[in-house]
Amino acid sequence: MVMESASPAYVRKSFIPSQDPPVNTAGAIGWARKRLFSSLGNSILTIAALAFIVWMLIPIIRFTILDAVWSGEDRAACAKASGACWAYVKAYLPQFIYGRYPIAERWRVDIVFLLLAVAMVPMLIPRAPFKRLNGLFLLIVYPLIAFVLLTGGHIRFTGGWLPASIAAPSALRFAIEFALIGGAILLAIGAFARLTGIPVAGSGTMAGIAIAGVACVLLVVGIDFGLEPVETANWGGLLVTLVVAGTGMVASLPLGVLLALGRRSAMPVVRVASVIFIEVWRGVPLITVLFMASVMLPLFLPDGVTFDKLLRALIGVALFNAAYMAETVRGGLQAVPRGQYEAGMSIGLGYWQRMRLIVLPQALRLVIPGIVGSFISLFKDTTLVSIIGLFDFLGQIQTSANDAKWASPVTGVTGYIFAAIVFWAFCFSMSRYAAYTERRLNRSRRR
């Protein structure tokens, strides 16, 4: 008996056409099912959160858009309004930006803002060329141009410590005093090298370059470009906010790096000095620092010696933020494996070469969120300068809200909403760019 074999299995000779995934697992519906309604608890929380957002947004939209007043000449347009008085913001917008800066000279502020934007945009684009030249322009040339444009330049240096019997107060006496101080610094470096036997040829060259650079800066700010001098007391609004925040950010980062390295230094004097500086400045509120810089510091200066109030505030803000920045950078230094330090030493690199080429690039990349958080905090803390009589962006809004021409129940609230929008725009931009930089650096590290 011959057994018949089973029928052969069916084999398809062509592929089945692809089909779309089920509607409830793809697209917006699928995303919502997976992220918002994946369980009973998540569904309840999602519905509650949506209800809260709608409850919050409806009055905000009504006040800021639907019931808002968009045009008008004085308080009569907003006195009976139940929404925001944007006509008041429109009328005071130039004052919010420039403060009491003379109207005829505001073109100088515009040029400073324009140069900053032109220089910053290529720096923020990773593939833009000439990064080094652009960085040198932003850190050296741009501050000098901005200072001359905003103040008018033509600073008269007359000297101070040479007796008048030797040289009368003049630019020549200042030049002689500067040359004597520069020569004394170079002689001190040479004497230190001879006494200790440590070659300091490089340090002498760097000191000479630094002295020459300071001389060039003093020469430029002393030239009369024909610009009308504008006192910093007339600055205000967004101009003061950006000056304080920008100076604090640029100065606090390198100071913070040096303090962090100093706190981890093997030299006791450097370590103790760094620790004392950091702990003292971190233990004092910024308001106290600003008050001391504005009121107390002039009491300790010799007669006839004074500093501009804005300059004192800039120094105080920079040193205060440097202490916090130092601790942020120190966290990054501690996260770098010790093997990285030893690898640098094994190939014969010196201390500063190891820090510059191996350790700091890794440490700073690890603490990008902390650095940006410190910058955002500094940007918002600029509002505190109003307690020493400087009218920053928020201070200018508060002052204008009390103007009888525009006084109304909604004027002040509108000003605060406008300030919140501007501050949020700046802070959110910094946060998003930091997140982008962090993703880009992590992506390049994974390659």
Side-chain angles (χ1 to χ4, degrees):
M1 181 179 180
V2 179
M3 296 291 294
E4 293 183 0
S5 61
S7 61
Y10 172 75
V11 178
R12 184 179 291 277
K13 295 181 180 179
S14 60
F15 288 106
I16 299 175
S18 60
Q19 298 180 354
D20 296 331
V23 176
N24 58 358
T25 61
I29 297 177
W31 182 87
R33 284 173 58 90
K34 182 178 180 181
R35 303 294 179 89
L36 304 179
F37 302 98
S38 59
S39 64
L40 178 61
N42 285 346
S43 301
I44 294 174
L45 289 176
T46 299
I47 293 173
L50 290 176
F52 178 75
I53 292 172
V54 171
W55 178 71
M56 289 289 294
L57 282 181
I58 288 177
I60 292 175
I61 292 175
R62 286 183 61 86
F63 184 83
T64 57
I65 299 176
L66 300 180
D67 297 336
V69 176
W70 298 90
S71 61
E73 298 297 330
D74 52 26
R75 65 181 301 274
C78 305
K80 298 182 180 179
S82 59
C85 183
W86 296 116
Y88 144 75
V89 174
K90 181 181 177 182
Y92 275 94
L93 187 59
Q95 199 173 99
F96 294 164
I97 298 175
Y98 305 103
R100 292 181 295 169
Y101 208 89
I103 297 176
E105 305 296 327
R106 287 178 180 175
W107 61 270
R108 288 152 53 175
V109 181
D110 295 336
I111 292 179
V112 171
F113 287 161
L114 179 63
L115 285 177
L116 178 62
V118 170
M120 281 295 293
V121 169
M123 285 297 293
L124 299 178
I125 300 175
R127 294 185 179 180
F130 308 115
K131 281 283 192 298
R132 181 168 298 180
L133 290 176
N134 205 358
L136 291 175
F137 174 81
L138 270 175
L139 294 177
I140 299 175
V141 179
Y142 174 75
L144 196 56
I145 295 175
F147 177 82
V148 172
L149 283 174
L150 294 178
T151 64
H154 198 201
I155 307 298
R156 294 180 176 86
F157 300 104
T158 59
W161 53 270
L162 274 181
S165 58
I166 299 176
S170 63
L172 178 62
R173 185 173 80 166
F174 177 79
I176 294 173
E177 292 176 353
F178 184 82
L180 290 175
I181 294 174
I185 293 174
L186 294 178
L187 285 175
I189 294 175
F192 176 80
R194 180 172 290 276
L195 293 175
T196 61
I198 300 175
V200 291
S203 300
T205 304
M206 292 298 296
I209 293 174
I211 293 172
V214 173
C216 291
V217 170
L218 295 176
L219 178 64
V220 171
V221 300
I223 295 175
D224 183 8
F225 292 96
L227 299 174
E228 179 184 348
V230 178
E231 299 290 337
T232 57
N234 293 326
W235 299 12
L238 191 61
L239 172 62
V240 166
T241 296
L242 293 181
V243 168
V244 175
T247 305
M249 293 176 189
V250 172
S252 64
L253 182 57
L255 283 175
V257 171
L258 291 177
L259 288 170
L261 294 176
R263 186 159 188 168
R264 292 170 54 86
S265 173
M267 294 185 287
V269 175
V270 176
R271 185 173 63 252
V272 171
S274 300
V275 170
I276 292 175
F277 180 91
I278 292 171
E279 297 303 332
V280 167
W281 283 88
R282 284 205 311 162
V284 180
L286 180 56
I287 292 178
T288 305
V289 172
L290 294 173
F291 184 76
M292 291 286 290
S294 175
V295 179
M296 301 300 294
L297 180 62
L299 301 179
F300 299 101
L301 295 177
D303 293 337
V305 178
T306 183
F307 293 105
D308 184 84
K309 182 186 291 185
L310 179 59
L311 176 61
R312 280 177 267 159
L314 293 177
I315 294 173
V317 169
L319 295 179
F320 181 84
N321 203 54
Y324 284 90
M325 188 64 68
E327 290 301 280
T328 302
V329 175
R330 189 167 68 90
L333 292 174
Q334 291 179 338
V336 176
R338 182 167 180 76
Q340 298 293 314
Y341 295 85
E342 296 172 346
M345 289 187 285
S346 67
I347 58 177
L349 296 180
Y351 175 80
W352 291 109
Q353 289 176 316
R354 291 199 305 274
M355 293 300 116
R356 181 169 59 88
L357 300 175
I358 297 177
V359 178
L360 281 178
Q362 299 182 66
L364 294 178
R365 181 167 54 192
L366 292 172
V367 295
I368 286 178
I371 292 175
V372 176
S374 181
F375 284 166
I376 291 175
S377 177
L378 169 63
F379 188 80
K380 292 186 293 186
D381 285 344
T382 56
T383 56
L384 296 176
V385 299
S386 61
I387 67 166
I388 58 173
L390 296 175
F391 292 97
D392 71 307
F393 183 67
L394 183 61
Q396 202 71 54
I397 289 177
Q398 289 175 320
T399 304
S400 63
N402 297 324
D403 187 353
K405 183 179 179 182
W406 283 96
S408 74
V410 298
T411 301
V413 179
T414 304
Y416 285 122
I417 291 175
F418 181 66
I421 293 173
V422 173
F423 273 93
W424 178 83
F426 277 97
C427 295
F428 185 71
S429 301
M430 286 191 282
S431 175
R432 288 299 86 198
Y433 185 77
Y436 162 73
T437 303
E438 195 174 359
R439 287 196 303 272
R440 185 171 62 85
L441 294 177
N442 285 334
R443 185 169 59 246
S444 62
R445 188 169 54 177
R446 289 196 300 267
R447 289 176 180 172

